[in-house]
């Protein structure tokens, strides 16, 4: 398993994959550890999670540089990712006991009826490369604190990050086996998921990968949570604060090289402000610094892999051939590394790749709409339903329209984001289930009714 720097094409390191014997040993360890870990008092689990947050902060620079080297994230954004992971640890260290408190129900006189929250067992997590620390911590922090144990199958291009995350839990003082990394390819996942010792699974990734995991888990009657990407609308109405909507829109489309499930991908703009908004958006895109991800001034680094950049460019090329207009960008940069420029497409024809597919890179498609009804129609015209961003100065109007948007979350005058304090997840082809907050920590517990006469 090789790690390659996408900014230079240089091989960073080579790692030995786990063989069948290694997988069996880790599954055995997970099961035996769970039998003890489930009985560790919740307050002690919270204390260990607080330690994990401290480990992340102490090693912030090293972990950030590892992310930057393996998948090309600009270094300032990589540091912010580590800080966000530490924040998530702090959050669950403080609130897990409240989220998992017994729930009491009405019952006959002389009886007590309550719901308690017991852990399920070893949970398999199949995680992507785009936020190599955050995606894992937002799985591990709640589920491990609830008393489960975790086995991570990380993306094959970030093996160093996978092992570093295992290190976080070791350094924090967790018992051996509470969190383990499986260095295996995707072909091994089906067998691991079928193993009786795995009780649940969570996946963040592509639709085909999610369907495969869901099919296997469903056949085994195992609980799953899936986050499968999106084509999030960024709706700008006629009374929006254009300066704020441009500034936030640029960040929402281009941070992390545009490689985010909840990135703003389809800009739906009211005709009264369309021309001005497009002009401002293009100017802001062209002002971004694209280059060396280790440089502090870099806004957009390389795409994580040359093949992924080629797929993105093919989507853009096919959309242009179908009639879309390139306002800026649209061609890979003529330099070493997988660099793609921030790109704006207008006049996007219905049914072309930029209209119907998820573009996983810094490509914004812009649609002109006549009124709010058409804006909602265009926003909902997608098989995805992860997040949405809605811009208007009328809060009552915003609240009303937010209920009409078909998505797992709608952010008003703010970019879509995942936050440990609120549930996160999608509908339709974006997946099902929720991560984070109270809803997230309760996805992988047995909500057991206890009736005492």
């Amino acid at each position: 398993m090789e790690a390659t720097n996408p900014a230079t094409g240089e091989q960073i390191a080579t790692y030995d994959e786990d063989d069948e014997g290694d997988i069996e040993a880790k599954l055995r360890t997970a099961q035996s550890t769970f039998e003890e870990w489930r009985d560790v008092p919740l307050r002690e689990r919270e204390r260990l999670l607080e330690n994990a947050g401290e480990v992340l902060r102490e090693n912030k620079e090293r972990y950030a540089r590892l992310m930057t080297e393996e998948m090309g994230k600009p270094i300032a954004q990589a540091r912010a990712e580590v800080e966000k992971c530490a924040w998530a640890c702090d959050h669950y260290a403080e609130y897990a006991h409240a989220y998992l408190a017994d729930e009491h129900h009405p019952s006959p006189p002389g009886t007590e009826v309550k719901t308690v929250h017991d852990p399920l067992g070893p949970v398999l997590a199949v995680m992507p490369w785009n936020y190599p620390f955050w995606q894992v911590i937002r799985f591990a922090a709640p589920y491990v604190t609830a008393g489960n144990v975790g086995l991570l199958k990380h993306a094959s291009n970030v093996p160093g990050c996978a092992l570093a995350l295992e290190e976080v839990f070791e350094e924090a003082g967790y018992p051996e086996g509470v969190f383990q990394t499986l260095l295996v390819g995707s072909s091994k996942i089906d067998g691991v998921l079928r193993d009786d010792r795995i009780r649940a699974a969570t996946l963040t990734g592509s639709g085909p990968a999610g369907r495969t995991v869901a099919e296997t888990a469903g056949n085994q009657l195992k609980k799953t949570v899936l986050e499968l990407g999106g084509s999030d609308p960024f709706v700008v109405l006629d009374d929006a604060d254009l300066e704020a909507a441009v500034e936030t829109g640029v960040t929402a489309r281009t941070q992390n090289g545009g490689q985010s499930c909840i990135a703003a991908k389809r800009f739906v703009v009211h005709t009264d402000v369309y021309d001005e908004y497009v002009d401002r958006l293009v100017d802001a895109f062209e002002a971004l610094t694209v280059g060396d991800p280790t440089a502090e001034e870099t806004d957009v680094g390389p795409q994580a892999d040359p093949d992924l950049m080629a797929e993105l460019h093919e989507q853009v090329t096919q959309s242009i051939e179908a009639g879309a207009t390139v306002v800026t960008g649209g061609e890979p940069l003529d330099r070493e590394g997988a660099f793609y420029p921030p790109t704006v497409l207008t006049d996007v024809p219905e049914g072309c790749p930029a209209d119907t597919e998820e573009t996983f890179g810094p490509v914004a498609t812009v649609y002109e709409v006549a009124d709010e009804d058409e804006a909602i129609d265009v926003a909902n015209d997608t098989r995805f339903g992860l997040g949405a961003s809605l811009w208007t100065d009328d809060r009552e109007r915003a609240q009303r329209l937010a209920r009409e948007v078909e998505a797992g979350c709608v952010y008003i005058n703010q970019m879509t984001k995942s936050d440990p304090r609120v549930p996160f997840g999608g509908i339709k082809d974006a997946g099902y289930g929720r991560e984070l907050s109270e809803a997230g920590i309760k996805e992988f517990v047995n909500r057991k009714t206890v009736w005492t006469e």
Side-chain angles (χ1 to χ4, degrees), residues 259-296:
Q259 301 163 127
S260 172
C261 298
I262 53 173
K265 299 185 175 80
R266 296 177 300 124
F267 288 73
V268 183
V269 185
H270 193 285
T271 188
D272 288 355
V273 295
Y274 178 84
D275 290 339
E276 182 180 358
Y277 188 83
V278 171
D279 288 345
R280 289 191 182 196
L281 187 69
V282 170
D283 288 345
F285 266 38
E286 293 178 345
L288 294 171
T289 299
V290 182
D292 179 3
T294 65
E296 299 292 341

Side-chain angles (χ1 to χ4, degrees), residues 54-293:
E54 293 174 0
V55 173
L56 286 160
R57 291 188 177 93
E58 290 168 359
N59 295 279
K60 178 172 69 174
E61 191 65 24
R62 177 162 63 91
Y63 294 156
R65 292 198 173 275
L66 180 58
M67 278 188 272
T68 297
E69 288 180 354
E70 287 196 328
M71 54 73 59
K73 189 187 302 289
I75 188 64
Q77 297 175 30
R79 292 191 192 104
E81 181 169 337
V82 180
E83 292 168 354
K84 186 173 184 178
C85 290
W87 173 37
C89 291
D90 293 345
H91 178 79
Y92 281 104
E94 182 176 358
Y95 291 105
H97 65 279
Y99 290 154
L100 297 173
D102 295 349
E103 300 172 13
H104 292 267
H105 308 289
S107 61
T111 66
E112 180 188 44
V113 181
K114 63 183 179 180
T115 297
V116 299
H117 305 94
D118 294 339
L120 297 181
V123 178
L124 173 67
V126 183
M127 291 291 121
W129 47 263
N130 58 333
Y131 288 91
F133 270 66
W134 170 243
Q135 301 280 10
V136 175
I137 291 297
R138 83 180 190 194
F139 140 74
Y143 300 151
V144 167
T145 307
N148 301 296
V149 299
L151 289 106
L152 167 67
K153 188 285 179 208
H154 217 327
S156 296
N157 62 330
V158 289
C161 291
L163 293 174
L165 285 154
E166 191 175 65
E167 172 191 279
V168 169
F169 290 89
E170 292 173 354
E171 294 294 321
Y174 281 79
E176 180 184 3
V178 170
F179 182 92
Q180 300 177 87
T181 284
L182 296 170
L183 284 184
V184 297
S186 298
S187 63
K188 301 288 187 181
I189 293 307
D190 189 74
V192 174
L193 185 52
R194 290 181 183 276
D195 192 283
D196 289 342
R197 288 164 291 193
I198 296 295
R199 298 309 312 147
T202 179
L203 176 143
T204 298
S206 69
R211 285 179 169 83
T212 299
V213 166
E215 182 178 5
T216 299
N219 182 263
Q220 302 292 313
L221 294 180
K222 296 177 180 180
K223 178 73 180 290
T224 52
V225 170
L226 303 179
E227 197 265 271
L228 306 179
S231 186
D232 286 9
F234 191 95
V235 180
V236 182
L237 297 177
D238 52 324
D239 60 346
D241 180 339
L242 289 192
E243 182 176 355
V246 169
E247 181 180 356
T248 302
V250 170
T251 300
R253 175 63 278 196
T254 64
Q255 72 170 356
N256 202 40
Q259 301 163 127
S260 172
C261 298
I262 53 173
K265 299 185 175 80
R266 296 177 300 124
F267 288 73
V268 183
V269 185
H270 193 285
T271 188
D272 288 355
V273 295
Y274 178 84
D275 290 339
E276 182 180 358
Y277 188 83
V278 171
D279 288 345
R280 289 191 182 196
L281 187 69
V282 170
D283 288 345
F285 266 38
E286 293 178 345
L288 294 171
T289 299
V290 182
D292 179 3

